[in-house]
Amino acid sequence: MKHHACTGTGARGGTRRGIRVAVAAGLTLATAATVGGCAFARPRVVVPPSYYPTPTSTSTGYSTDYPTPSYEPTYSPSPTQETYDPDGRADVSGSNCDFSNSLRQFTYTVSITNPSSTDTYSYDMAVNWMKAKPADGKAYGLHERSITVGPGATETYTAKYTVNQSSIGQFWYTCQITRAQKTRM
Protein backbone atom coordinates (compact mmCIF):
# COMPACT_ATOMS: atom_id res chain seq x y z
CA MET A 1 0.00 0.00 0.00
CA LYS A 2 1.30 3.30 -1.00
CA HIS A 3 0.89 6.51 1.03
CA HIS A 4 0.61 9.77 -0.71
CA ALA A 5 1.66 13.01 0.78
CA CYS A 6 -0.21 16.09 -0.39
CA THR A 7 2.54 18.28 -1.60
CA GLY A 8 0.90 19.69 -4.65
CA THR A 9 1.36 23.25 -5.74
CA GLY A 10 -2.16 23.76 -6.88
CA ALA A 11 -4.43 26.37 -5.43
CA ARG A 12 -6.22 23.85 -3.29
CA GLY A 13 -3.10 22.22 -1.79
CA GLY A 14 -1.39 25.57 -1.14
CA THR A 15 -4.41 26.97 0.62
CA ARG A 16 -4.62 24.03 2.98
CA ARG A 17 -0.97 24.28 3.82
CA GLY A 18 -1.33 28.05 4.48
CA ILE A 19 -4.30 27.48 6.76
CA ARG A 20 -2.46 24.74 8.64
CA VAL A 21 0.57 26.96 9.09
CA ALA A 22 -1.59 29.89 10.30
CA VAL A 23 -3.50 27.67 12.74
CA ALA A 24 -0.27 26.14 14.04
CA ALA A 25 1.30 29.59 14.49
CA GLY A 26 -1.81 30.83 16.32
CA LEU A 27 -1.83 27.83 18.65
CA THR A 28 1.87 28.25 19.33
CA LEU A 29 1.36 31.96 20.16
CA ALA A 30 -1.66 31.26 22.39
CA THR A 31 0.22 28.50 24.23
CA ALA A 32 3.26 30.73 24.75
CA ALA A 33 1.08 33.61 26.00
CA THR A 34 -0.83 31.37 28.40
CA VAL A 35 2.34 29.70 29.77
CA GLY A 36 4.01 33.12 30.11
CA GLY A 37 1.08 34.48 32.14
CA CYS A 38 -0.22 36.79 29.40
CA ALA A 39 -3.52 35.18 28.64
CA PHE A 40 -5.78 37.40 26.59
CA ALA A 41 -8.34 39.13 28.82
CA ARG A 42 -11.95 38.90 27.84
CA PRO A 43 -14.03 42.06 28.06
CA ARG A 44 -16.28 42.23 31.11
CA VAL A 45 -19.95 42.19 30.26
CA VAL A 46 -22.46 43.43 32.82
CA VAL A 47 -25.92 42.01 32.39
CA PRO A 48 -28.67 44.10 33.99
CA PRO A 49 -30.94 42.27 36.42
CA SER A 50 -34.05 40.90 34.81
CA TYR A 51 -36.40 42.72 37.21
CA TYR A 52 -35.62 46.18 35.71
CA PRO A 53 -38.04 47.11 32.95
CA THR A 54 -36.60 48.01 29.59
CA PRO A 55 -36.38 51.82 29.24
CA THR A 56 -38.67 53.34 26.67
CA SER A 57 -38.27 56.66 24.95
CA THR A 58 -40.76 59.47 25.55
CA SER A 59 -40.95 63.07 24.44
CA THR A 60 -39.50 64.25 27.79
CA GLY A 61 -36.40 62.11 27.40
CA TYR A 62 -37.21 60.05 30.48
CA SER A 63 -38.55 56.54 30.58
CA THR A 64 -42.16 56.26 31.65
CA ASP A 65 -41.22 53.09 33.52
CA TYR A 66 -39.09 55.04 36.02
CA PRO A 67 -40.19 57.85 38.34
CA THR A 68 -39.36 61.36 37.16
CA PRO A 69 -36.05 62.48 38.72
CA SER A 70 -36.44 64.94 41.58
CA TYR A 71 -33.67 67.33 42.56
CA GLU A 72 -35.32 69.05 45.51
CA PRO A 73 -33.03 69.22 48.54
CA THR A 74 -34.11 67.18 51.51
CA TYR A 75 -31.68 68.87 53.95
CA SER A 76 -33.06 70.47 57.08
CA PRO A 77 -30.90 71.82 59.90
CA SER A 78 -30.82 69.82 63.07
CA PRO A 79 -32.07 71.45 66.28
CA THR A 80 -28.50 71.68 67.61
CA GLN A 81 -27.15 73.43 64.53
CA GLU A 82 -26.68 77.16 65.09
CA THR A 83 -26.32 80.07 62.74
CA TYR A 84 -23.68 82.72 63.29
CA ASP A 85 -24.56 86.41 62.97
CA PRO A 86 -21.67 88.81 63.65
CA ASP A 87 -24.15 91.50 64.74
CA GLY A 88 -24.75 90.41 68.31
CA ARG A 89 -27.22 93.14 69.30
CA ALA A 90 -30.00 90.54 69.44
CA ASP A 91 -28.04 88.86 72.27
CA VAL A 92 -27.83 92.08 74.34
CA SER A 93 -30.31 93.92 76.55
CA GLY A 94 -29.97 97.04 78.68
CA SER A 95 -31.67 98.43 81.76
CA ASN A 96 -31.31 101.18 84.42
CA CYS A 97 -30.32 104.03 82.13
CA ASP A 98 -29.26 106.69 84.65
CA PHE A 99 -27.25 109.85 85.28
CA SER A 100 -25.78 110.84 88.67
CA ASN A 101 -25.53 114.62 89.21
CA SER A 102 -23.18 114.19 92.15
CA LEU A 103 -20.78 111.93 90.22
CA ARG A 104 -21.48 113.60 86.85
CA GLN A 105 -21.70 110.06 85.50
CA PHE A 106 -23.94 108.17 83.08
CA THR A 107 -24.59 104.48 83.82
CA TYR A 108 -26.38 101.70 81.97
CA THR A 109 -26.66 98.03 82.97
CA VAL A 110 -25.88 95.74 80.00
CA SER A 111 -26.65 92.00 79.89
CA ILE A 112 -25.23 89.75 77.17
CA THR A 113 -26.58 86.22 76.73
CA ASN A 114 -24.67 83.86 74.44
CA PRO A 115 -27.30 81.75 72.65
CA SER A 116 -24.78 79.12 71.51
CA SER A 117 -24.59 75.85 73.40
CA THR A 118 -21.09 75.10 72.05
CA ASP A 119 -19.22 78.31 71.11
CA THR A 120 -17.68 81.11 73.17
CA TYR A 121 -18.05 84.61 71.74
CA SER A 122 -16.32 87.92 72.32
CA TYR A 123 -18.63 90.93 72.10
CA ASP A 124 -17.14 94.30 71.14
CA MET A 125 -19.65 96.62 72.81
CA ALA A 126 -20.46 100.30 72.36
CA VAL A 127 -23.02 102.14 74.51
CA ASN A 128 -24.01 105.73 73.76
CA TRP A 129 -25.91 108.20 75.91
CA MET A 130 -27.77 110.26 73.35
CA LYS A 131 -29.51 113.62 73.50
CA ALA A 132 -33.25 112.89 73.68
CA LYS A 133 -34.89 116.35 73.46
CA PRO A 134 -34.31 117.40 70.81
CA ALA A 135 -33.22 114.03 69.43
CA ASP A 136 -30.66 115.46 67.02
CA GLY A 137 -28.26 112.52 66.89
CA LYS A 138 -25.71 114.08 69.26
CA ALA A 139 -24.11 111.90 71.90
CA TYR A 140 -23.32 113.01 75.45
CA GLY A 141 -20.98 110.10 76.02
CA LEU A 142 -19.66 106.81 74.71
CA HIS A 143 -18.59 103.64 76.53
CA GLU A 144 -16.69 100.84 74.73
CA ARG A 145 -15.74 97.44 76.08
CA SER A 146 -15.01 93.89 74.93
CA ILE A 147 -16.48 91.07 76.95
CA THR A 148 -16.23 87.29 76.51
CA VAL A 149 -19.29 85.14 77.13
CA GLY A 150 -19.16 81.35 77.33
CA PRO A 151 -21.67 78.93 75.78
CA GLY A 152 -25.17 79.50 77.16
CA ALA A 153 -23.90 81.99 79.75
CA THR A 154 -25.04 85.53 80.58
CA GLU A 155 -22.63 88.29 81.55
CA THR A 156 -23.86 91.56 83.09
CA TYR A 157 -21.83 94.72 83.58
CA THR A 158 -22.43 98.42 84.14
CA ALA A 159 -21.37 100.76 81.36
CA LYS A 160 -20.19 104.14 82.65
CA TYR A 161 -19.28 107.52 81.22
CA THR A 162 -18.17 110.54 83.27
CA VAL A 163 -19.00 114.03 81.96
CA ASN A 164 -16.12 116.50 82.09
CA GLN A 165 -18.18 119.49 83.27
CA SER A 166 -18.40 120.87 86.78
CA SER A 167 -22.10 121.79 86.56
CA ILE A 168 -24.78 120.36 84.37
CA GLY A 169 -28.25 121.75 84.04
CA GLN A 170 -31.40 119.84 83.25
CA PHE A 171 -31.28 117.77 80.04
CA TRP A 172 -32.92 114.75 78.41
CA TYR A 173 -31.00 111.66 77.38
CA THR A 174 -31.45 108.05 76.28
CA CYS A 175 -29.17 105.02 76.46
CA GLN A 176 -28.47 103.06 73.29
CA ILE A 177 -26.45 99.94 72.57
CA THR A 178 -25.02 100.99 69.22
CA ARG A 179 -22.61 98.10 68.64
CA ALA A 180 -22.28 94.48 69.77
CA GLN A 181 -19.85 92.99 67.25
CA LYS A 182 -19.73 89.25 67.89
CA THR A 183 -16.61 87.16 67.21
CA ARG A 184 -16.28 83.39 67.67
CA MET A 185 -13.41 82.48 69.99
Side-chain angles (χ1 to χ4, degrees):
M1 187 155 133
K2 215 176 188 182
H3 293 289
H4 295 282
C6 289
T7 58
T9 58
R12 188 171 181 186
T15 303
R16 284 187 186 163
R17 187 179 311 147
I19 291 172
R20 286 183 193 147
V21 170
V23 169
L27 287 174
T28 304
L29 182 61
T31 304
T34 305
V35 170
C38 302
F40 300 107
R42 293 187 312 185
R44 185 173 179 199
V45 178
V46 178
V47 179
S50 60
Y51 56 84
Y52 285 130
T54 304
T56 58
S57 178
T58 64
S59 61
T60 61
Y62 294 109
S63 169
T64 55
D65 297 330
Y66 297 106
T68 303
S70 173
Y71 299 105
E72 293 181 25
T74 57
Y75 170 79
S76 62
S78 66
T80 58
Q81 189 174 16
E82 300 161 356
T83 57
Y84 170 69
D85 182 3
D87 183 359
R89 286 182 289 179
D91 304 348
V92 181
S93 63
S95 61
N96 304 323
C97 181
D98 199 13
F99 178 77
S100 169
N101 278 322
S102 60
L103 298 174
R104 299 186 323 273
Q105 189 176 65
F106 287 104
T107 56
Y108 192 45
T109 304
V110 178
S111 292
I112 306 167
T113 302
N114 180 351
S116 174
S117 59
T118 57
D119 294 320
T120 298
Y121 291 106
S122 173
Y123 291 83
D124 182 26
M125 301 296 301
V127 175
N128 277 80
W129 289 270
M130 306 295 291
K131 189 174 179 182
K133 291 182 182 178
D136 57 6
K138 292 183 181 175
Y140 291 119
L142 170 68
H143 170 88
E144 295 179 300
R145 177 178 178 181
S146 288
I147 187 163
T148 302
V149 185
T154 299
E155 296 290 334
T156 301
Y157 72 97
T158 301
K160 297 177 182 178
Y161 178 79
T162 302
V163 178
N164 293 327
Q165 289 178 305
S166 57
S167 65
I168 298 177
Q170 184 176 358
F171 63 97
W172 298 89
Y173 62 94
T174 62
C175 299
Q176 293 180 8
I177 298 168
T178 54
R179 184 179 71 242
Q181 185 69 32
K182 182 172 157 180
T183 307
R184 185 177 281 126
M185 301 297 288

